[in-house]
Amino acid sequence: QVHLVESGGGSVQAGGSLRLSCVASAYTSSNNYMAWFRQAPGKEREVVATLYTGGPATWYADSVKGRFTISRDNAKNTLYLQMNSLKPEDTGMYYCAADLTYSSYDPREPRSYDHWGQGTQVTVSS
């Protein structure tokens, strides 16, 4: 069983930056999808960015395009999310996810992922 552990969340003012990290407890193989999701209070979990490790190919939600960057350090088994120019609407719990069973679902959907971290809180004040 692979465990994912996120870190790097915190409270920042609008315009600030944070870098989230997600460390996997074991090698997460290649040619699979990893992603960052977020969930604000009272809202559904939404995809922020995905990364295909076989590419690597990335995808971003329109709301974060140009401000966030997803990347992976294979040697460290770590997934990152660099978040710049943060806005109050970026506030939420951020989750790392990995698809280790090669789901046939769209990688932008939560059901595509079989491993999740516990989440790290990001709060952006205006």
Side-chain angles (χ1 to χ4, degrees), residues 68-117:
F68 290 11
T69 302
I70 187 172
S71 62
R72 184 183 187 224
D73 185 330
N74 292 334
K76 296 182 178 180
N77 245 5
T78 301
L79 184 73
Y80 299 101
L81 184 68
Q82 177 66 45
M83 306 186 296
N84 298 328
S85 302
L86 282 161
K87 304 176 180 180
E89 51 264 44
D90 294 319
T91 294
M93 187 70 78
Y94 282 68
Y95 298 92
C96 167
D99 169 21
L100 303 183
T101 56
Y102 304 98
S103 167
S104 60
Y105 296 116
D106 190 316
R108 293 168 293 184
E109 298 180 35
R111 61 177 176 170
S112 183
Y113 298 89
D114 43 73
H115 287 75
W116 292 84

Side-chain angles (χ1 to χ4, degrees), residues 16-47:
S17 298
L18 287 172
R19 188 177 81 155
L20 307 184
S21 299
C22 171
V23 180
S25 61
Y27 178 59
T28 53
S29 74
S30 59
N31 298 323
N32 60 342
Y33 278 94
M34 299 189 75
W36 287 97
F37 286 78
R38 66 186 180 190
Q39 188 167 18
K43 295 188 176 181
E44 292 188 352
R45 190 169 298 190
E46 63 174 358
V47 63

